[in-house]
Amino acid sequence: MVPMPRFTTVKGVPLPALLSQDRIDALVARTRNGGAEIVSLLKTGSAYYAPAAAAHEMVKSILLNKKRMLPCAAYLNGEYGTRGVCTGVPVLLGSEGVEKIIELALNEQEKRDFEKSVAAVRELAEKLNL
């Protein structure tokens, strides 16, 4: 997971304009560990909520042709300097499915984090012989 607080807004206001860097760092850590937190609280049957909510938003965007920008796994063919892998990126999702991959202008740290994430996806795919 590569949280991008710089691209996160609350009612159009960038997150860094609203919160201190320490608070943002704490939220990023909590986001990265959110799945484990939910599992610890709900015990059984806890792995459904986030995927169900994401699937609901995706289906709604496709069926109603909302053309919403949503984070989705998409096949990259040169976007973000990456080819031949499906990984999570922001996309424009409409009645045609992924209509456009949105390329954010990443800073150097974000690029390193993204490349690390892509490498992990590739490694897992190799282990699965995909």
Side-chain angles (χ1 to χ4, degrees):
M1 177 183 292
V2 184
M4 302 262 178
R6 203 165 56 89
F7 297 102
T8 303
T9 62
V10 177
K11 293 191 177 190
V13 179
L15 199 58
L18 297 171
L19 301 173
S20 69
Q21 189 59 48
D22 287 343
R23 182 70 178 126
I24 291 172
D25 292 344
L27 288 170
V28 166
R30 188 166 186 211
T31 298
R32 283 193 170 129
N33 299 314
E37 182 179 340
I38 290 170
V39 168
S40 72
L41 292 171
L42 296 178
K43 307 296 183 214
T44 61
S46 60
Y48 71 90
Y49 182 77
H56 175 263
E57 289 302 315
M58 289 178 197
V59 168
K60 189 166 68 171
S61 189
I62 292 167
L63 290 179
L64 301 177
N65 198 28
K66 295 262 187 188
K67 298 188 185 293
R68 290 199 51 212
M69 186 169 73
L70 295 168
C72 296
Y75 185 81
L76 300 185
N77 193 22
E79 298 86 1
Y80 292 96
T82 302
R83 290 187 176 282
V85 68
C86 283
T87 195
V89 291
V91 303
L92 188 67
L93 199 59
S95 63
E96 300 295 318
V98 174
E99 295 186 2
K100 180 179 180 182
I101 293 173
I102 308 297
E103 286 194 71
L104 303 173
L106 305 180
N107 64 31
E108 291 306 313
Q109 183 61 53
E110 291 162 342
K111 286 178 188 175
R112 284 191 297 274
D113 292 345
F114 181 76
E115 289 165 2
K116 182 179 175 183
S117 177
V118 168
V121 169
R122 287 188 195 278
E123 182 180 337
L124 182 59
E126 286 174 12
K127 286 181 182 177
L128 296 172
N129 294 317
L130 296 178

